[in-house]
Amino acid sequence: MHFSFKSSHAVLPRLLVLAVAAMLQACGGGSGGEALPSVGSASTGGASAQASLGAKIFNDMSLSASGRQSCASCHAAETGHAGANSLAAQMGGAMLDLQGGRSSPSMRYLSSNKPFQIAADGTPSGGFFWDGRANSLQDQAAKPFLNPREMANLDAADLARRLAKASYADELRRMFGEDIFSRPDEALARVALLLQTFQMESAEFRPFSSKFDQVLRGQATLNEQELRGLALFNAKDKGNCAACHPSAKGRDGAFPMFTDFTYDNLGVPRNSALSQNNDPTFYDLGLCARDGGDLTAKPELCGKFKVPSLRNVALRKVFFHNGGFTSLKEVLNFYVTRDTNPERWYSRGADGTLNKFDDLPAAYKANVNISEGPYNRKPGEQPALSDAEIDDVLAFLGTLSDGYKK
């Protein structure tokens, strides 16, 4: 069932659009543009030996049990280092026949992320993966090698045996000692550190080369539709996207990451394309059920997942932790009609009763965000964005894709 809503750009005051345009002009850094802060600037010098070796590891399929999967297999450059296809979760395992449990998030711009923490007010932030269970890029990089549904090495010794046969094995020996492969735990840690170094140094993981970056440098301008989209993106009574995806430069002049690095529970619909969901009693509870069980005593975190950066979002093939959406326009439609037209998104029980927030057990449905716009509306009310306004926001989101050329 598809709903269509009447378009009216008059709903968004033209003064607001003009104010956004003026703000962006003020952000310009002169004819040469404003220099980016060190944590968010592309490397201009040659890559270090460690980063170059990390790049080889990142692209090496021989390090997986299947021999057909590398880091790059699930984090493709053409999608902003997110999943390369529209599968809800990528296939892995020794036979490449096991489906993962979550979509592959983008690996771009993670150098500005921080370790996981919970603030005094209870707000979780930082961390890597959808549930923040890794506290550094190194920690994150190590885990897929031993995940039975990913690269599926049996243990660190299994990985060390593969490393010893790699074309760059002698480089590893020279860098870490002739006996590095007889110290498998250290070999795994060193490999993960090399991957972290590659991501920290390589311009491809933080190029800041989108049209919006050029606008912030004063070297490009948004067209009228993109300006309307940005205004709608920021407006609290419209998209309110900036509440979790800030679009303004930081106080230190840092370019925006389009994430506040926090976690949210959006009541995303259950995705039947995930094999784990064949079990009707299974629920992916995110933060409160992550590996290690360190947050099981905090039920208020159940169903919360990391707020991703929207940089390169228009390049992605799937969206949300469960890969339940394959169209960015569909995502925006979900945001604004989740509560006004819930029947559009959720399943019904045997008695025909609508099961809103159907990917959560009843005990945790109260954790879903229903207080912030556009989620604070009631069935039958007008959605916060019309079809035409959604198209405007999509046009703006397209300016966040790296590789812009005039």
Side-chain angles (χ1 to χ4, degrees):
M1 187 172 187
H2 180 74
F3 293 85
S4 179
F5 304 104
K6 292 183 179 179
S7 159
S8 174
H9 289 153
V11 172
L12 183 70
R14 182 162 179 78
L15 286 176
L16 181 56
V17 176
L18 293 175
V20 169
M23 176 194 74
L24 290 174
Q25 279 191 328
C27 287
S31 59
E34 181 170 309
L36 297 172
S38 60
V39 75
S41 44
S43 174
T44 54
S48 67
Q50 290 84 354
S52 296
L53 188 47
K56 294 177 183 178
I57 294 168
F58 188 84
N59 291 284
D60 188 357
M61 292 186 179
S62 75
L63 299 183
S64 64
S66 68
R68 293 180 287 163
Q69 188 175 59
S70 67
C71 304
S73 299
C74 297
H75 301 281
E78 60 268 24
T79 59
H81 288 97
N85 52 49
S86 57
L87 294 176
Q90 298 303 303
M91 305 301 291
M95 303 299 293
L96 217 61
D97 60 349
L98 298 178
Q99 186 186 49
R102 295 173 182 161
S103 64
S104 299
S106 171
M107 296 182 70
R108 294 253 177 110
Y109 300 100
L110 290 181
S111 57
S112 58
N113 195 14
K114 299 290 191 295
F116 181 80
Q117 61 181 317
I118 297 180
D121 66 357
T123 301
S125 66
F128 298 80
F129 293 114
W130 282 108
D131 59 9
R133 66 186 182 275
N135 274 327
S136 68
L137 281 169
Q138 180 181 5
D139 188 15
Q140 179 275 325
K143 294 186 185 300
F145 287 112
L146 305 185
N147 189 319
R149 292 184 174 274
E150 294 185 66
M151 299 179 80
N153 287 282
L154 297 176
D155 50 28
D158 194 18
L159 175 62
R161 286 190 288 271
R162 299 183 200 281
L163 288 167
K165 299 176 183 178
S167 61
Y168 46 83
D170 286 343
E171 294 179 67
L172 288 169
R173 291 189 182 96
R174 285 193 298 270
M175 196 171 289
F176 302 120
E178 287 294 324
D179 64 341
I180 184 61
F181 303 126
S182 65
R183 293 178 277 122
D185 289 337
E186 183 179 348
L188 173 58
R190 296 292 190 178
V191 162
L193 182 60
L194 292 171
L195 286 168
Q196 173 178 276
T197 304
F198 170 49
Q199 291 178 68
M200 293 293 287
E201 288 190 20
S202 175
E204 67 180 285
F205 288 100
R206 45 180 184 169
F208 289 90
S209 60
S210 70
K211 180 177 182 179
F212 192 71
D213 292 316
Q214 293 296 82
V215 169
L216 293 180
R217 295 186 184 104
Q219 297 173 349
T221 56
L222 298 181
N223 63 35
E224 287 191 11
Q225 185 179 29
E226 293 162 351
L227 276 172
R228 291 196 304 266
L230 175 55
L232 291 161
F233 182 96
N234 289 333
K236 291 183 178 181
D237 62 339
K238 300 302 290 182
N240 197 30
C241 312
C244 293
H245 304 279
S247 61
K249 289 201 292 187
R251 293 179 181 178
D252 61 353
F255 281 25
M257 290 294 102
F258 286 89
T259 177
D260 60 5
F261 302 100
T262 62
Y263 292 75
D264 208 351
N265 185 336
L266 301 181
V268 177
R270 194 171 180 86
N271 186 7
S272 61
L274 287 176
S275 58
Q276 65 191 15
N277 286 341
N278 292 336
D279 176 359
T281 67
F282 172 82
Y283 294 98
D284 186 349
L285 296 180
L287 274 182
C288 78
R290 69 186 197 176
D291 290 351
D294 56 327
L295 298 177
T296 55
K298 294 183 177 293
E300 69 275 12
L301 300 182
C302 290
K304 286 196 172 188
F305 293 89
K306 193 173 184 183
V307 173
S309 169
L310 294 186
R311 284 180 169 271
N312 295 296
V313 69
L315 302 180
R316 292 174 204 161
K317 304 294 185 181
V318 298
F319 304 88
F320 297 117
H321 68 280
N322 66 358
F325 290 80
T326 57
S327 159
L328 187 53
K329 184 166 186 175
E330 187 181 26
V331 169
L332 294 183
N333 272 306
F334 167 70
Y335 280 143
V336 300
T337 64
R338 187 198 75 179
D339 300 288
T340 62
N341 303 90
E343 70 281 358
R344 180 176 177 182
W345 307 107
Y346 298 106
S347 58
R348 291 184 180 274
D351 62 354
T353 303
L354 184 68
N355 183 19
K356 191 176 181 183
F357 309 144
D358 60 6
D359 204 24
L360 287 168
Y364 301 126
K365 291 187 178 185
N367 293 348
V368 176
N369 185 344
I370 60 172
S371 60
E372 293 182 304
Y375 316 119
N376 55 357
R377 304 204 174 198
K378 301 293 188 295
E381 292 183 351
Q382 192 73 3
L385 297 174
S386 68
D387 281 347
E389 288 171 332
I390 285 175
D391 288 339
D392 290 345
V393 175
L394 287 170
F396 167 66
L397 292 175
T399 73
L400 305 183
S401 299
D402 288 322
Y404 170 72
K405 294 177 182 176
K406 291 185 179 180

